[in-house]
Amino acid sequence: MPDPLSTTFAALADPTRRAILARLAQGQATVTELAEPFAMSLPTVSRHLTALEKAGLVVKTREAQWRPCRLETAPLRGVDDWLATYREFFEGRFDLLEQHLRTLTDPPKE
């Protein structure tokens, strides 16, 4: 069984799934509402939702005959925590690049 971070990244690898998450960031929606912008069948959208559910990114609830979906952000926090190390690394590299570029563009001091 893959670790949760790998499952989250696998779910995020598909642009349709990322678009679904972007829509759910605006508020809950039914499967039909989520399928509207895509040129694909409802079963195909449902398969994308299943992948997002398995990754813990989407939760389906039940309201009468409706099955609204909502975004679950906990797995994204795990991704953000993992990326934090690399963010710090790249920010440090950008600081060094900025210093180097200043030496190339600043006039020499006398």
Side-chain angles (χ1 to χ4, degrees):
M1 180 173 179
D3 65 284
L5 190 58
S6 295
T7 304
T8 302
F9 276 122
L12 294 173
D14 186 277
T16 300
R17 294 181 195 142
R18 292 191 306 270
I20 289 170
L21 292 178
R23 167 54 186 87
L24 291 174
Q26 298 171 7
Q28 70 179 18
T30 64
V31 175
T32 304
E33 292 169 333
L34 292 171
E36 283 176 9
F38 304 107
M40 60 182 69
S41 67
L42 279 175
T44 302
V45 172
S46 289
R47 283 193 289 278
H48 283 294
L49 284 168
T50 298
L52 292 168
E53 283 182 281
K54 286 181 180 178
L57 292 162
V58 169
V59 175
K60 282 185 187 172
T61 58
R62 180 170 290 228
E63 293 178 13
Q65 73 270 26
W66 306 107
R67 301 278 300 184
C69 302
R70 66 176 171 80
L71 177 64
E72 178 57 50
T73 59
L76 295 175
R77 280 187 228 112
V79 170
D80 187 54
D81 291 345
W82 183 81
L83 288 172
T85 303
Y86 299 97
R87 188 177 305 115
E88 292 169 11
F89 169 77
F90 281 113
E91 285 173 358
R93 301 298 289 173
F94 288 137
D95 290 343
L96 290 173
L97 177 61
E98 180 183 16
Q99 290 173 6
H100 176 69
L101 291 175
R102 284 180 195 257
T103 64
L104 297 175
T105 59
D106 288 348
K109 295 180 181 175
E110 294 179 23

